[in-house]
Amino acid sequence: MFKNLAKLACCLGLVNGTFLMCSQLKNDHSHNKMQHYNFLSENELHNLLNKHQNLSILNRNQTEHILSLMREANTDIVTFRKNADRLIRILMEQALAQLEKQNCVKQSPLGFYDANEVKFSDQEICIVSILRSGNAFLNEALRVISGASIGQILIQRNEETSMPKYFFEKLPENINEQQIILVDPMLGTGGSASMALKILKNYGVKEENIIFLTLVSCEQGLNKVFKEHPNIRIITAQVDPILIKESNYLAPGIGDFGDRYFGTVKKHTRSVQV
Amino acid sequence: MFRNLIKIGGCLGLLSSSNVLCNQIKGKNQDDQLPHYHFLNDHDLQKLQKKHSNLSIIDKSYTEHILSVIRDVQTDIVDFRKNADRLIRILIEQAISQIDKKKHIKQSPLGYYDAHELKFQDEEICFVSILRSGNAFLIEALKVMTGASIGQILIQRNEETSQPAYFFQKLPQNIKDQQVILVDPMLATGGSASMALQILKNHGVKEENITFLTLVSCEQGLGKLFSEYPKIKIITAQVDPILLKNINYLAPGIGDFGDRYFGTVKTNKAQQ
């Protein structure tokens, strides 16, 4: 109310002082003074990796520039997509590096050599995307493993309760025999990922055959998923320090990855993405 | 001559055993019973990295499958290109991760965070390709750094003497102010790379601003480059154990990378 009185006073052209007050009040309105979030220290990351043996965090040198651009609220969609794709490619290469290999002897133009190749053909690998955001991974995934199968599970998070809701799935018939790379850009509470993993296990997929890729995650999500599915592997580009209680959003986070990647950002909501 | 006699014998429909003999001799003719090359063990690699602190060898879990496919003489051109591109991308990402960054504070939709970004714009980075094989890197390079400049230096190795011969160059005018990523898939004697590096220095580029990317290298080549240009950085996917003396080819090697990538493999000559 005070604000309104001040505004009224300005409009009525009262003393300059009013104007000054007005500006001050206006500034105070951005009183949801945005916080400065500090990333986890080397020590904290070390502890996290010790706690979860099946967790891999990408080397910061490779990811910090890219993540910095993606996180920035002002980044345009072209830059966002380009950098997301680069990061997704790096994650995919890391997943492939962890697939089982087998030894054989092969021949180069000059002689024989010991070959160590991935045990599985393209078709024996299945990229399972948690729709909608997970689909962002498919471009790069198919560039790297052109013959892979693609599975899709539609799970949406209820924005009020943060509970995951299942809608739909389409998975290869023989998925229980495949190596799975499950993909979803953000890992918040871990609710959606956990639901997807249960679905995969219902189809007979073994935990050891699943690698979960996510760009940004947090301790809570990692803890939950590893607790319920201890034998899967998780590879993440960065672990954010905070999961905001009310909204269950990561902070500093990226905003809504799906909206930013697919260009469906709602214009008139506050910059705090919902 | 003996072989020819057998062939005539075969044609004249003589004893079927001639056929058998024929095969045996044919078998023997691939007599240059190809050797089996063993890769450097972890210990050797560690020593190499200790010796050259500016050397990075990509972790083998990323590269061994890909390299195995591209070395394989039976790999067709589509798979060769696909895998070469994947490996080139991995090398480029590694090169970029080593470029200087600077810190500032930026704003995400939810708050502020510490941003570490490359000190340089795309345009301040120059990929210099040692033609012809080096051009294979440019496709992925421009996917990653769409605004980078491209420099080109044509050096061809005289196959008899293994000496590099210079033909041509086209470099950005301000290259001395740029971060340079020099690219060439194979590093054998180091002759061509050394010549290219000399050219860059003549243009005023500082060694510290140069990263050299190569898929497969060997100790001799690495030794030569680091002794002539100690401050450059080199990133390689694998270090082959042998540099064959007579032809100065890496073994097991990949064959001729340029021919295999660009589809200009000569079919009737014995495989190089």
Side-chain angles (χ1 to χ4, degrees):
Chain A
M1 184 191 99
F2 190 49
K3 236 171 72 219
N4 290 332
L5 277 178
K7 280 191 175 157
L8 200 56
C10 281
C11 294
L12 295 180
L14 290 174
V15 175
N16 281 351
T18 345
F19 204 91
L20 203 53
M21 244 202 297
C22 208
S23 304
Q24 275 180 347
L25 282 170
K26 206 159 57 158
N27 276 339
D28 269 353
H29 195 242
S30 17
H31 67 283
N32 312 342
K33 185 129 178 119
M34 296 255 216
Q35 243 189 292
H36 183 126
Y37 296 102
N38 290 313
F39 292 118
L40 298 177
S41 67
E42 288 300 319
N43 199 30
E44 286 167 310
L45 290 172
H46 205 70
N47 289 340
L48 198 56
L49 287 170
N50 272 338
K51 183 175 179 192
H52 300 301
Q53 294 297 309
N54 286 340
L55 171 66
S56 307
I57 305 176
L58 293 183
N59 188 308
R60 222 174 55 168
N61 287 330
Q62 298 223 312
T63 62
E64 51 188 0
H65 171 93
I66 297 175
L67 277 168
S68 168
L69 287 178
M70 288 174 63
R71 292 179 187 280
E72 197 186 350
N74 284 335
T75 294
D76 65 86
I77 193 173
V78 174
T79 308
F80 186 86
R81 280 177 177 157
K82 212 166 138 264
N83 282 280
D85 282 351
R86 253 182 84 191
L87 192 52
I88 288 165
R89 169 70 78 104
I90 293 174
L91 274 171
M92 286 293 312
E93 287 292 353
Q94 178 74 306
L96 290 178
Q98 294 189 11
L99 286 180
E100 232 186 299
K101 296 192 184 84
Q102 71 194 355
N103 249 315
C104 45
V105 177
K106 290 204 161 182
Q107 188 187 328
S108 83
L110 283 177
F112 297 99
Y113 62 94
D114 300 306
N116 218 9
E117 293 186 16
V118 170
K119 254 174 108 165
F120 313 101
S121 66
D122 275 18
Q123 290 73 10
E124 291 173 282
I125 297 174
C126 183
I127 318 276
V128 176
S129 153
I130 302 182
L131 268 59
R132 167 192 63 148
S133 308
N135 274 4
F137 280 69
L138 299 182
N139 286 333
E140 285 299 314
L142 286 176
R143 283 195 196 126
V144 179
I145 318 180
S146 18
S149 337
I150 307 282
Q152 313 217 316
I153 304 180
L154 175 55
I155 293 173
Q156 293 284 283
R157 195 168 85 163
N158 179 313
E159 286 308 332
E160 258 104 75
T161 65
S162 294
M163 293 309 283
K165 188 163 150 59
Y166 163 85
F167 281 85
F168 162 91
E169 83 202 35
K170 202 82 169 162
L171 298 172
E173 194 180 40
N174 62 334
I175 195 173
N176 63 320
E177 295 162 10
Q178 293 183 300
Q179 296 296 305
I180 311 294
I181 301 179
L182 179 68
V183 297
D184 194 359
M186 312 293 276
L187 178 63
T189 57
S192 313
S194 195
M195 182 180 264
L197 286 160
K198 286 208 188 79
I199 292 172
L200 290 175
K201 282 161 82 171
N202 291 345
Y203 273 77
V205 183
K206 295 206 179 74
E207 279 182 25
E208 308 80 81
N209 293 339
I210 304 176
I211 298 178
F212 176 51
L213 300 184
T214 182
L215 301 184
V216 184
S217 52
C218 65
E219 283 204 60
Q220 294 90 318
L222 291 168
N223 289 342
K224 176 179 167 75
V225 175
F226 274 128
K227 178 149 178 252
E228 300 178 8
H229 313 276
N231 291 323
I232 68 165
R233 280 163 285 172
I234 300 184
I235 306 174
T236 183
Q238 191 161 25
V239 181
D240 266 7
I242 307 269
L243 182 65
I244 297 182
K245 283 211 162 70
E246 306 75 43
S247 58
N248 279 315
Y249 257 77
L250 297 171
I254 274 181
D256 185 306
F257 182 96
D259 279 343
R260 295 188 75 183
Y261 192 90
F262 294 110
T264 53
V265 175
K266 303 171 191 64
K267 297 282 190 330
H268 297 294
T269 41
R270 295 245 311 258
S271 62
V272 176
Q273 287 297 322
V274 172
Chain B
M1 182 191 103
F2 190 50
R3 239 176 66 230
N4 290 332
L5 278 178
I6 298 291
K7 279 193 179 153
I8 291 176
C11 293
L12 293 180
L14 289 176
L15 289 177
S16 44
S17 57
S18 349
N19 212 287
V20 175
L21 254 181
C22 206
N23 285 338
Q24 275 178 345
I25 294 183
K26 211 163 48 163
K28 263 208 184 145
N29 200 38
Q30 292 149 321
D31 62 325
D32 317 338
Q33 177 65 247
L34 292 175
H36 184 131
Y37 297 103
H38 295 282
F39 294 118
L40 298 177
N41 60 36
D42 284 335
H43 186 232
D44 291 335
L45 290 171
Q46 246 184 31
K47 270 171 57 189
L48 197 56
Q49 298 233 244
K50 271 217 172 103
K51 182 173 178 197
H52 302 300
S53 52
N54 284 342
L55 171 66
S56 307
I57 305 175
I58 309 266
D59 188 301
K60 75 175 186 201
S61 59
Y62 291 96
T63 60
E64 51 189 357
H65 171 97
I66 297 175
L67 277 166
S68 167
V69 172
I70 63 183
R71 290 179 188 281
D72 189 344
V73 75
Q74 298 191 339
T75 295
D76 65 54
I77 192 173
V78 174
D79 283 334
F80 186 88
R81 281 175 177 158
K82 211 163 140 276
N83 282 278
D85 282 351
R86 259 182 76 192
L87 192 53
I88 286 165
R89 169 73 78 105
I90 290 172
L91 277 171
I92 290 174
E93 287 291 356
Q94 179 72 339
I96 293 175
S97 77
Q98 294 186 2
I99 294 182
D100 266 356
K101 296 194 184 81
K102 67 173 180 224
K103 196 175 122 161
H104 30 221
I105 297 185
K106 289 204 160 183
Q107 190 187 327
S108 82
L110 284 179
Y112 298 99
Y113 61 95
D114 299 313
H116 277 97
E117 292 182 16
L118 284 188
K119 257 172 104 167
F120 310 98
Q121 296 293 317
D122 276 21
E123 294 74 22
E124 292 173 275
I125 295 178
C126 183
F127 285 90
V128 176
S129 154
I130 302 182
L131 267 59
R132 164 191 66 148
S133 308
N135 274 4
F137 280 70
L138 300 183
I139 298 173
E140 288 295 315
L142 286 178
K143 280 186 194 145
V144 179
M145 295 245 122
T146 343
S149 333
I150 306 283
Q152 313 216 319
I153 305 179
L154 176 55
I155 293 173
Q156 292 284 282
R157 194 169 84 164
N158 179 313
E159 287 306 333
E160 258 105 73
T161 65
S162 294
Q163 289 302 308
Y166 164 82
F167 282 84
F168 162 92
Q169 82 190 232
K170 203 85 170 157
L171 299 172
Q173 192 183 33
N174 62 332
I175 194 175
K176 66 172 158 40
D177 300 326
Q178 293 183 302
Q179 297 296 304
V180 175
I181 300 180
L182 180 67
V183 297
D184 194 0
M186 313 292 276
L187 175 64
T189 57
S192 312
S194 184
M195 183 179 266
L197 286 161
Q198 190 56 56
I199 292 173
L200 289 175
K201 284 176 80 170
N202 294 345
H203 275 74
V205 184
K206 294 205 178 77
E207 278 180 34
E208 309 80 84
N209 292 340
I210 304 176
T211 302
F212 175 51
L213 300 185
T214 183
L215 302 185
V216 185
S217 52
C218 66
E219 285 204 56
Q220 293 90 319
L222 293 168
K224 176 179 167 76
L225 290 188
F226 278 127
S227 84
E228 298 176 9
Y229 309 97
K231 301 213 180 89
I232 67 169
K233 283 175 271 197
I234 300 184
I235 305 175
T236 184
Q238 192 162 26
V239 180
D240 266 6
I242 308 271
L243 181 63
L244 289 172
K245 282 207 162 70
N246 36 356
I247 50 175
N248 279 319
Y249 258 76
L250 296 171
I254 277 181
D256 183 307
F257 182 97
D259 279 341
R260 295 189 75 183
Y261 192 92
F262 295 110
T264 53
V265 176
K266 302 169 189 63
T267 32
N268 287 332
K269 269 164 79 167
Q271 282 301 325
Q272 284 304 312

